[in-house]
Amino acid sequence: MAGYTYELEAVLNRADPLARVFESAGYRFFLVGGVVRDYFLKRFDVGQDLDATTDARPDAIRALVSELADDVWSQGERFGTIGCIVAGHSYEVTTHRAESYVPDSRKPTVVFGDDVVDDLARRDFTVNAMAIDMADRSLVDPFGGEADLEAGVLRTPLEPEASLSEDPLRMLRAARFCASCALSPAPDLVAAMTAERDRLEIVSVERIRDELQKLLLLDDPAAGLGLIDATGVGRRVPVVGGCDGWESAARRLRTLPTDPAMRWAGLLSALQVVRPDLRLLKFSRDLDRAVMWLLREAPELSTADLAALEDRRLRELAGGCPAGRTVEDLLTFVAGLRAGDGLSADDVDQMAARLAGLRGREPDWDDPAPFFSGLEVAEMLGIEPGPELGRAMNWLAGLRVAEGPLDADTAAARLQDWWAQRTRE
């Protein structure tokens, strides 16, 4: 492969010992996927994980990589893939294959093959259907992936209807590659996505969620969201299936940090999804809670004059933060939404300065310490542990939110006043 860069040469040299093991056993060994595509896009990551394909069968792959590998895993063996770590780098080596989805099935039927061209024909797009033959480091590009990258076009090696029908997730992958590689979908790909969009329903929720999240976390997912909107593919995505306006959502996403919770919440708020049931997307518990928290609190703050919010309200917001999140995260999200909508966020900066001051005065801001223990409160009020003690502790917690830290004598006096009034009622 003439004229390759120093960075690609470093990657090839790194993979060479593994390739030699296969070649000495009489097998072919090809690097495929992102490393080839990214070379033509002038994106270089010498330490990236590598994908390879070979005519060796999975049992032979496992035996061969074991000669060099520090670790081997075979969870994907029934699909022809063996993973390994060699000299600190990760590889996935897969037998040449052809796979297709039968109607209404979520899982591919795999047939192993001996020809790298047949293997490349089953890949999603021509820009990913290129390989480097490690025997002589030549480029294998039977479907014109290099020319398509040069022209800025996204096409499928096979007829697009057949390709998308075999793995409908490729519709969301098309959106991601359009956005991440600055490609425009070929007209027949757009038509096929529109025609085959109902096939997305056979794909597992987890795969849909993970692929869509990769798109959402791009610096600018606008091109991909526009393609999803134009083809109606978004209508087959759980939770947001009844919504339009994906392209307009990009304005908000571009101005939000690449934080999964913020990007998902930004999408859902832009699409005006009412009370989303995130269980349908099988989010982790932490992500679910963070997204719902942002969606719950942001509408008020997005339209409020934040400089006018009372300290009490800020303490309430701090108390409502899910684990690992802060009020500052919420303000960052609000600022991003406003920027995406072309609105001012000057008061967000003022609020951030106020928060810094409050944190300096209240060291336990994120986890306020109770004024007293339960036993101390029970002794002060002359009551036994039970519902009344619980109410007293809750009242003290509310006092801490309303007025901030108080000295022990003041807090005790306020508690006694509350209790005396309560017993008179």
Side-chain angles (χ1 to χ4, degrees), residues 164-247:
L164 299 183
S165 180
E166 287 180 357
D167 185 355
L169 189 69
R170 289 170 175 172
M171 289 181 267
L172 293 179
R173 287 175 61 81
R176 174 162 64 93
F177 282 112
C178 283
S180 64
C181 300
L183 302 174
S184 298
D188 59 349
L189 176 57
V190 175
M193 288 176 65
T194 304
E196 298 290 334
R197 62 191 180 195
D198 289 350
R199 285 282 286 165
L200 195 63
E201 295 176 354
I202 73 165
V203 180
S204 70
V205 169
E206 293 87 347
R207 294 183 73 216
I208 291 174
R209 176 201 64 210
D210 292 347
E211 186 59 46
L212 184 53
Q213 181 163 297
K214 291 176 184 178
L215 170 61
L216 295 180
L217 293 180
L218 295 176
D219 288 340
D220 185 358
L225 295 176
L227 180 58
I228 287 174
D229 208 13
T231 57
V233 169
R235 289 188 163 272
R236 298 298 177 263
V237 175
V239 179
V240 294
C243 301
D244 293 311
W246 288 69
E247 187 170 15

Side-chain angles (χ1 to χ4, degrees), residues 11-169:
V11 171
L12 300 181
N13 289 342
R14 191 231 301 172
D16 196 60
L18 187 58
R20 297 288 83 79
V21 167
F22 279 79
E23 291 166 9
S24 65
Y27 297 109
R28 307 287 297 279
F29 191 88
F30 302 84
L31 291 185
V32 292
V35 67
V36 188
R37 179 192 67 241
D38 290 349
Y39 162 69
F40 291 108
L41 291 172
K42 296 181 172 58
R43 299 175 181 173
F44 306 112
D45 179 3
V46 173
Q48 72 187 106
D49 297 343
L50 296 179
D51 294 319
T53 185
T54 177
D55 51 347
R57 294 310 190 250
D59 56 345
I61 296 174
R62 187 173 61 253
L64 289 168
V65 300
S66 297
E67 297 181 23
L68 292 177
D70 304 310
D71 188 22
V72 177
W73 58 94
S74 56
Q75 291 90 333
E77 184 169 359
R78 66 193 182 100
F79 299 119
T81 299
I82 301 294
C84 62
I85 300 291
V86 177
H89 295 285
S90 177
Y91 298 82
E92 286 196 344
V93 185
T94 303
T95 303
H96 296 330
R97 63 187 182 183
E99 61 184 37
S100 62
Y101 281 72
V102 298
D104 301 323
S105 172
R106 294 178 184 268
K107 298 180 180 180
T109 300
V110 176
V111 177
F112 298 135
D114 299 305
D115 188 338
V116 68
V117 174
D118 290 341
D119 179 87
L120 296 176
R122 314 308 301 187
R123 295 179 181 265
D124 51 6
F125 306 109
T126 60
V127 298
N128 296 326
M130 297 182 285
I132 297 175
D133 186 342
M134 288 296 293
D136 59 5
R137 300 191 174 187
S138 61
L139 176 67
V140 182
D141 182 17
F143 303 103
E146 179 183 2
D148 284 346
L149 283 173
E150 182 69 25
V153 175
L154 188 70
R155 295 188 303 111
T156 56
L158 303 176
E159 290 296 318
E161 290 82 1
S163 181
L164 299 183
S165 180
E166 287 180 357
D167 185 355
L169 189 69

Side-chain angles (χ1 to χ4, degrees), residues 225-291:
L225 295 176
L227 180 58
I228 287 174
D229 208 13
T231 57
V233 169
R235 289 188 163 272
R236 298 298 177 263
V237 175
V239 179
V240 294
C243 301
D244 293 311
W246 288 69
E247 187 170 15
S248 62
R251 292 197 303 272
R252 286 187 167 186
L253 297 185
R254 276 195 298 263
T255 54
L256 290 170
T258 53
D259 172 291
M262 293 192 192
R263 289 295 179 99
W264 277 108
L267 175 68
L268 293 168
S269 65
L271 296 180
Q272 300 181 350
V273 179
V274 179
R275 301 180 67 179
D277 184 357
L278 299 183
R279 293 173 299 179
L280 297 175
L281 286 168
K282 299 184 179 181
F283 281 164
S284 69
R285 179 180 297 181
D286 287 345
L287 183 56
D288 187 309
R289 289 176 175 174
V291 172

